[in-house]
Amino acid sequence: MEEKEMLKIYDLNLEYIDDIERNEAHQKELLHEVVHCWIVDVRDDEPWIYLQQRSFLKNEFAGLYDISVAGHVSSGEEPELSVLREIEEEIGLKAELKDLKYLGYAIEHLKCKGYYDNELCRIFIYKTNKELDFKTNQEVEKIVKVPFSEYKDWFLKEKSDICGIDIESGSKITISSKDICRHSEEAISILITHIATHKNSN
């Protein structure tokens, strides 16, 4: 019998309440904890943001381009350990805590085709000044990188698509707005603000 994934549930004051099975947490729109990790290449004057394309076999947001790495924080697990686990599981990188910087948190409450997300998002950034050896699993179709300026302009609604590069083939791609996974403005603003104010620091 498959073991059910249990999540920590929080109240509006972000106080822990109980552990609940993942599907129940989504069905009842209960606030639960997740991690977001943005991987950013800072070797050039223009930072590059890595996005993953979610597997077409996913039940939710299949085939959409999303945060570099994201996942639920399981019961009994701290966000820092959760994000390291997700980085290795999804894209095959063995990161360490010293590689990451915690940027803060945001609350996301999203509804899409009967799927409910009410999430306490712990947001991390992983800046790198070297080539990374990504190894994706069945949850990820591919990894692409996009210039920070492109992503920022899209977020500010100054353009409707994003130009980037498929890191495996090296070919240029254009990502339409409809193919980008939605997140709260608060969550994305945390990333945009950090990169914009630390563009010349690693």
Side-chain angles (χ1 to χ4, degrees), residues 3-31:
E3 186 176 349
K4 293 183 178 180
E5 182 179 3
M6 303 297 291
L7 305 179
K8 295 181 284 187
I9 302 303
Y10 295 83
D11 64 18
L12 295 178
N13 295 317
L14 306 186
E15 295 291 335
Y16 168 76
I17 300 175
D18 199 0
D19 291 353
I20 290 181
E21 196 268 324
R22 174 174 172 169
N23 287 338
E24 183 180 357
H26 282 280
Q27 290 168 358
K28 295 182 177 180
E29 302 181 52
L30 301 175
L31 183 63

Side-chain angles (χ1 to χ4, degrees), residues 37-38 64 82 104 106 118 151 163 176 179 188:
C37 183
W38 295 92
L64 297 188
S82 184
N118 189 18
Y151 192 83
C163 294
S176 170
D179 294 325
I188 303 299

Side-chain angles (χ1 to χ4, degrees), residues 37-43 48-51 68-69 87 91-96 99-100 125-136 143-145 167-168:
C37 183
W38 295 92
I39 301 178
V40 181
D41 188 328
V42 295
R43 287 177 293 175
W48 291 75
I49 298 174
Y50 288 99
L51 303 178
S68 313
V69 172
I87 290 171
I91 58 175
L93 298 180
K94 288 186 176 293
E96 299 179 25
D99 299 322
L100 309 179
I125 190 169
Y126 175 6
K127 292 183 181 180
T128 180
N129 56 12
K130 61 183 179 180
E131 195 76 31
L132 296 176
D133 184 18
F134 294 101
K135 295 181 177 66
T136 58
I143 303 291
V144 303
K145 63 179 184 178
I167 66 164
E168 184 172 357

Side-chain angles (χ1 to χ4, degrees), residues 70-164:
H72 289 83
V73 179
S74 299
S75 298
E77 187 176 45
E78 293 301 316
E80 292 80 6
L81 294 181
S82 184
V83 71
L84 292 176
R85 171 178 56 78
E86 292 288 351
I87 290 171
E88 184 170 7
E89 287 179 1
E90 292 190 0
I91 58 175
L93 298 180
K94 288 186 176 293
E96 299 179 25
L97 282 178
K98 65 180 178 61
D99 299 322
L100 309 179
K101 181 178 178 62
Y102 177 62
L103 301 184
Y105 71 88
I107 304 296
E108 286 193 343
H109 193 183
L110 306 174
K111 294 186 179 184
C112 181
K113 298 180 180 178
Y115 184 82
Y116 305 102
D117 264 345
N118 189 18
E119 298 179 336
L120 167 58
C121 307
R122 304 290 186 182
I123 302 168
F124 296 83
I125 190 169
Y126 175 6
K127 292 183 181 180
T128 180
N129 56 12
K130 61 183 179 180
E131 195 76 31
L132 296 176
D133 184 18
F134 294 101
K135 295 181 177 66
T136 58
N137 65 9
Q138 68 275 10
E139 295 185 6
V140 179
E141 290 292 325
K142 62 185 175 186
I143 303 291
V144 303
K145 63 179 184 178
V146 301
F148 169 66
S149 57
E150 285 273 324
Y151 192 83
K152 178 173 67 71
D153 288 349
W154 170 79
F155 173 69
L156 297 174
K157 298 180 173 59
E158 294 177 3
K159 57 191 308 181
S160 60
D161 52 29
I162 300 174
C163 294

Side-chain angles (χ1 to χ4, degrees), residues 49 103 148 151-153 155-156 185 187-199:
I49 298 174
L103 301 184
F148 169 66
Y151 192 83
K152 178 173 67 71
D153 288 349
F155 173 69
L156 297 174
E185 289 193 4
I188 303 299
S189 291
I190 290 174
L191 171 76
I192 298 293
T193 300
H194 175 82
I195 296 178
T197 54
H198 296 82
K199 283 183 69 173

